[in-house]
Amino acid sequence: MNKQELIDILNDDTKNDWLFKKADRIRHENVGDEVHLRGLIEFSNICKRGCKYCGLRSANKEIERYRILKDELLIYAKKAVEMGYRTLVLQSGEDDFYDTDKMVEIIHEIKKFDVALTLSIGEKTYDEYKAFKDAGADRYLLRIETTDKNLYKIMHPGVNIENRFRCLYDLKSLGYETGTGCLVGLPNQTIESLAEDILFFKKLNADMVGIGPFIPHEQTPLAKAQKGDFWLALKVMALTRLNLPDINIPATTAMETINPKGRIIALNSGANVVMPNVTSQEYRAKYEIYPGKICINENPEQCRGCIEGKILSIGRTVAKDKGFRRQKQK
Ligand code: 5AD
Ligand code: FES
């Protein structure tokens, strides 16, 4: 689709059902009915950055910070593998405590479990990304958040969007399955820029795209801003499926945070991945990117059972393989 077509659909709510059904069909035809579960380990909520929307921003002195060190992290990883996860995702704030050597060691250890490994630890240099890749990391998640240059600047003081693009192209060139995505509903974000975001996913040939509504956090400068619209976020996700038919698209936690059926609705509108948390309760509430996050009172077993039940209830199955992107032969 071109930009105008995307804008027209985003502006027109009379065809939403058609859009969601079509995205569901394209998902079925291209990536099938299996849902890939990725076990998410949020291993540090310490962050040097100041993203205006994020509860983990360094200026937020009210949250209790934590780091999970290697030995404990490996316990969660092992448990997740025993529960059947074939992909683990290591996510953190931008925490320089985990330097290249520490990360490489963790990656080596996790890869011994015969799982696919995704990193989501922010902007790094080419050499760092290369070291992680050489150590065995398979995938990397780094949302562009918004492709609107002005909005990006306002939301991310002191950093520049060019470096984020550079990171994403470095990741691609190093052979990572590269995930990106955006927030929907940031203050002053336009429909036009959301269309540009989708065009960017296509241009990058992203292997994964995660989309979620913006949810205001009390302890950020955007505390009083309006939250993002669930249905608009879902439309951006469905349009992403139409334009990148064979990629992996998660039903995001943020979707379920603002709509109790959010992940099921997303799985029925183009999504084929869910990322349940596999750490213990003591950390969950502290990884408060936004308020109201689901699953903070559950343990890994409960989340696994809960999400499997939901997946089966809509006639889908849980994938048993590592869930790499299946690119169709052209
Ligand atoms: N609301 C919704 N999503 C958020 N993220 C960060 N802050 C918020 C918020 N307030 C998302 C960003 C980031 C991902 C890990 O969480 O898109 O990439
Ligand atoms: Fe955690 Fe449902 S996935 S409780």
Side-chain angles (χ1 to χ4, degrees), residues 139-286:
R139 311 189 183 119
Y140 206 101
L141 303 180
L142 186 76
R143 289 188 181 173
I144 190 69
E145 314 294 1
T146 174
T147 57
D148 177 331
K149 292 199 162 68
N150 288 326
L151 184 59
Y152 189 92
K153 212 170 167 171
I154 295 166
M155 291 294 139
H156 309 98
V159 295
N160 67 68
I161 197 170
E162 276 72 32
N163 193 51
R164 206 150 181 99
F165 285 126
R166 191 271 305 158
C167 288
L168 285 164
Y169 286 106
D170 279 355
L171 290 163
K172 264 286 186 188
S173 77
L174 283 162
Y176 281 94
E177 280 207 345
T178 305
T180 189
C182 64
L183 285 163
V184 176
L186 289 169
N188 299 315
Q189 189 177 33
T190 61
I191 290 290
E192 199 185 346
S193 83
L194 290 170
E196 290 282 4
D197 293 349
I198 298 167
L199 294 175
F200 169 67
F201 306 153
K202 181 89 185 168
K203 181 171 158 219
L204 175 70
N205 187 19
D207 302 294
M208 296 168 273
V209 173
I211 288 155
F214 158 66
I215 302 167
H217 189 295
E218 260 313 311
Q219 293 143 18
T220 66
L222 301 184
K224 299 286 170 265
Q226 217 190 330
K227 71 169 192 259
D229 181 68
F230 174 80
W231 299 103
L232 182 59
L234 196 70
K235 286 175 79 173
V236 174
M237 190 202 81
L239 284 167
T240 300
R241 171 60 74 198
L242 300 193
N243 286 279
L244 293 122
D246 62 1
I247 67 169
N248 286 319
I249 298 183
T252 58
T253 305
M255 293 263 198
E256 188 131 324
T257 299
I258 62 163
N259 183 318
K261 292 201 170 103
R263 289 181 300 178
I264 289 290
I265 297 172
L267 286 171
N268 282 326
S269 310
N272 70 320
V273 171
V274 181
M275 296 166 55
N277 196 312
V278 297
T279 52
S280 74
Q281 266 180 48
E282 67 173 300
Y283 300 115
R284 294 185 178 210
K286 294 181 190 148

Side-chain angles (χ1 to χ4, degrees), residues 263 276 284 295 298 302-303 306-307 310:
R263 289 181 300 178
R284 294 185 178 210
C295 305
E298 276 73 23
Q302 286 168 318
C303 283
C306 161
I307 201 66
K310 289 186 185 190

